[in-house]
Amino acid sequence: MTGTAVVVPAEYAATHHQIFGDGPWLTDLPALAEQRLEAWDLRLDGDPRHGMVALVLPVLRSDGTPAVLKLQPVTTDTAGEPLGLRTWDGRGAVRMLEHDPDSGSMLLERLGTALSGVDDDDAAVGVIAGLLARLHAVAAPAGVRALGDIASAMVRDTPQACTQLEDGDAALLRRLADVVTDLLAEPGDRLLHWDLHYDNVLAGDREPWLAIDPQPLIGDPGFDLLPALDNRWEQLVATGDLPAALRRRLAILTDVLGLDRRRAVGWSLGRVLQNCLWDVEDGETRLNPVQTTIAEILLPLGP
Ligand SMILES: Nc1ncnc2c1ncn2[C@@H]1O[C@H](COP(=O)(O)OP(=O)(O)O)[C@@H](O)[C@H]1O
Ligand SMILES: [Mg+2]
């Protein structure tokens, strides 16, 4: 018995509804949570947390160990997370303690505050760089999605996306697709996180910082840099010299990871293309100014 009822926060419900529309997930969520608490012998231990996709319940295991129960719909974006976490096995990433393949639910070790709370930009980027180096060092298992396939599809989708954009934006999108086309012959073989921004790095006890919320992908390490480059944008703007501040983040990342700068820029531009295509798919008719600014700063530095 769990004692207390699971309450789904209204903000999570609203966000979920906005992203996924109508469906049984929200209605069934309290029952799913109760089922997992029972099956894994857990007690609720504090207020629920959430991101855009997952509901995360702090819990205690039967021996009193703190953990969190992560509940999220299984989609193409979330399906790979358990395999990635199992493969990293705690090395640079949160440790997965249990996984229920039927519901996609996971029991994870409990971590602390997010890296977004660390104001020093060099220090925060350095933490992400160090974690990426460790995550990329682990051999990718079979069954992970491949950057080669995803990048080829992006190039294929670009002409159609351009028809939804005005001339300047369409021309920029085509330039990004040209960069990616030239990189397609060598898509890379590292195990990538795909979404390592400052809120997906949490403080730990075993290690100072650990990655959460991966969407594993086999590919070139350069494709993993953009979330560290474009996140906390206001901080780059506040320096008064945005291009220099962006190049500084890039230099920290490529130095720590030992990457060829041009190639890393090329794949970062590929990741910008991906963000732009997602926006167009969502019905946007103008490209996001943060993404176009990054593209304009990085294009001259690329391959
Ligand atoms: N292992 C954990 N320990 C403590 N809090 C966590 C843990 N995993 C996730 N959280 C909290 O839940 C939030 C959402 O989890 P996350 O895995 O990032 O899902 P989403 O895909 O919705 O962003 C995180 O931003 C964090 O506040
Ligand atoms: Mg997250």
Side-chain angles (χ1 to χ4, degrees):
M1 281 307 291
T2 60
T4 339
V6 172
V7 178
V8 177
E11 196 192 349
Y12 172 75
T15 310
H16 186 92
H17 195 260
Q18 217 174 345
I19 299 176
F20 295 99
D22 285 329
W25 170 258
L26 284 174
T27 322
D28 295 349
L29 193 48
L32 171 63
E34 291 294 346
Q35 183 217 73
R36 283 299 103 201
L37 292 171
E38 185 92 32
W40 287 334
D41 201 2
L42 308 168
R43 274 178 299 138
L44 290 173
D45 181 39
D47 293 334
R49 302 165 196 184
H50 64 88
M52 304 285 278
V53 176
L55 180 67
V56 175
L57 305 174
V59 294
L60 294 175
R61 304 184 86 182
S62 56
D63 65 0
T65 315
V68 298
L69 176 59
K70 177 167 176 171
L71 307 166
Q72 62 188 1
V74 179
T75 65
T76 41
D77 289 334
T78 63
E81 181 172 349
L83 176 58
L85 292 179
R86 194 174 300 121
T87 305
W88 282 306
D89 193 21
R91 291 166 290 182
V94 66
R95 191 166 273 148
M96 186 172 71
L97 307 169
E98 300 277 2
H99 171 227
D100 172 39
D102 289 339
S103 63
S105 313
M106 288 172 280
L107 185 69
L108 306 173
E109 71 178 309
R110 175 116 50 104
L111 301 175
T113 53
L115 182 62
S116 47
V118 172
D119 286 336
D120 180 332
D121 205 55
D122 286 359
V125 174
V127 167
I128 293 189
L131 286 177
L132 286 175
R134 299 192 56 212
L135 298 177
H136 295 170
V138 173
V144 175
R145 286 195 282 173
L147 177 58
D149 298 336
I150 283 165
S152 303
M154 293 193 306
V155 169
R156 268 201 313 278
D157 292 345
T158 297
Q160 174 61 34
C162 285
T163 64
Q164 261 177 255
L165 298 169
E166 52 119 287
D167 290 352
D169 279 351
L172 183 63
L173 210 63
R174 277 193 290 270
R175 285 179 73 194
L176 297 176
D178 288 345
V179 173
V180 173
T181 302
D182 290 342
L183 293 169
L184 279 181
E186 282 182 67
D189 64 355
R190 303 287 80 214
L191 182 56
L192 311 183
H193 180 289
W194 203 345
D195 196 22
L196 198 61
H197 55 72
Y198 303 79
D199 280 314
N200 277 344
V201 176
L202 302 184
D205 291 329
R206 296 187 285 118
E207 301 193 16
W209 298 101
L210 290 161
I212 61 163
D213 202 14
Q215 296 174 32
L217 181 70
I218 297 182
D220 189 288
F223 196 70
D224 240 358
L225 308 187
L226 192 69
L229 293 174
D230 72 356
N231 207 212
R232 307 214 298 186
W233 188 249
E234 333 68 60
Q235 215 157 336
L236 296 185
V237 175
T239 63
D241 187 348
L242 179 63
L246 187 69
R247 287 195 300 269
R248 188 176 172 93
R249 281 189 182 175
L250 179 69
I252 294 172
L253 289 159
T254 52
D255 285 354
V256 172
L257 288 160
L259 303 181
D260 173 78
R261 188 77 57 89
R262 283 189 184 279
R263 204 176 165 71
V265 166
W267 279 115
S268 294
L269 290 165
R271 187 67 175 75
V272 171
L273 174 64
Q274 181 165 61
N275 283 343
C276 292
L277 289 171
W278 282 338
D279 285 346
V280 172
E281 211 179 296
D282 288 344
E284 295 292 338
T285 54
R286 295 300 316 263
L287 296 182
N288 178 329
V290 170
Q291 300 300 311
T292 58
T293 303
I294 293 180
E296 273 147 20
I297 296 170
L298 292 188
L299 271 165
L301 310 174

